Amino acid sequence: DDDQHVDDVDEEEGDVGVHMWSSTEFSAFLDEKYGTERNVWQAELLPKLRQMAAQVMHSTQDAVPSRKGSFEWFGLDFLIDDKLQPWLLEVNISPDMSTATEVLQELVPAGVSDLLGMFFPEQSQDGAVEATEDPPGDSIPRWHLVFKGKSFKSEILSKRHWLKKAKLAGLRAGKAYSIRDAMMPKLGP
């Protein structure tokens, strides 16, 4: 029925806590709705979400400054429509790491511990796993490499950034460039 809605949301609990599921809960919901043999979460949605995440990282690599010995944490918010099409709603640089819901109370500490355990395995906290180990369970987050491309020196990336910026300025000034030319300056010495 297309007219379904929720009438009995507990306002005391707040919308976020009521409507946030873990990936395990969401996967179970999808299995119940579409059948376990289809494996919607692992086989259909997760690959699309990872591809979208890689595309976001590619599109921001020139805009986010690189600092030696550090990393940036991004938060990507997705919506999955009734046709199982994922939509990227927003990207947060340095997202909120609060534990305002039951899901976040488990996810955030385990995710931070797991991430730090990959970079500093000798100082890892309880529950952290090395990147090469099998995941300890569904409830603990795992970080997956979604793209591995060739590395570029910072000078080349800087040159690419300024070339792209100059071409976009040319577009704004009315110069004739294709969008592909404007967005894809050649890398090289």
Side-chain angles (χ1 to χ4, degrees), residues 166-178:
K167 286 189 177 188
L168 287 172
L171 277 173
R172 288 187 199 105
K175 288 188 179 178
Y177 289 112
S178 73

Side-chain angles (χ1 to χ4, degrees), residues 56-127:
V56 165
M57 296 304 106
H58 283 283
S59 69
T60 62
Q61 67 186 358
D62 295 338
V64 178
S66 174
R67 294 181 308 252
K68 190 174 182 101
S70 66
F71 60 89
E72 188 61 60
W73 194 311
F74 289 81
L76 283 70
D77 293 343
F78 294 97
L79 176 131
I80 311 297
D81 69 18
D82 59 350
K83 294 177 179 62
L84 299 176
Q85 174 64 44
W87 296 89
L88 178 64
L89 296 178
E90 67 177 348
V91 178
N92 298 298
I93 193 166
S94 301
D96 177 21
M97 299 298 288
S98 69
T99 54
T101 69
E102 286 183 26
V103 171
L104 292 176
Q105 288 169 9
E106 185 175 344
L107 180 71
V108 171
V112 170
S113 180
D114 198 25
L115 180 67
L116 293 174
M118 287 190 294
F119 287 99
F120 309 105
E122 67 282 353
Q123 298 176 6
S124 64
Q125 303 294 311
D126 291 340

Side-chain angles (χ1 to χ4, degrees), residues 42-61:
Q42 290 289 330
E44 297 179 37
L45 286 175
L46 207 49
K48 289 178 186 177
L49 296 174
R50 288 179 177 161
Q51 180 183 21
M52 292 170 79
Q55 291 169 339
V56 165
M57 296 304 106
H58 283 283
S59 69
T60 62
Q61 67 186 358

Side-chain angles (χ1 to χ4, degrees), residues 9-21:
V9 172
D10 183 357
E11 294 300 327
E12 295 288 321
E13 195 171 347
D15 282 346
V16 174
V18 174
H19 300 292
M20 184 178 284
W21 287 345

Side-chain angles (χ1 to χ4, degrees), residues 2-41:
D2 290 336
D3 296 327
Q4 290 180 347
H5 63 279
V6 177
D7 288 325
D8 59 348
V9 172
D10 183 357
E11 294 300 327
E12 295 288 321
E13 195 171 347
D15 282 346
V16 174
V18 174
H19 300 292
M20 184 178 284
W21 287 345
S22 69
S23 58
T24 303
E25 291 169 320
F26 186 52
S27 179
F29 165 79
L30 293 170
D31 286 348
E32 185 177 313
K33 183 169 177 117
Y34 298 102
T36 55
E37 62 283 342
R38 186 167 168 190
N39 197 12
V40 171
W41 176 246

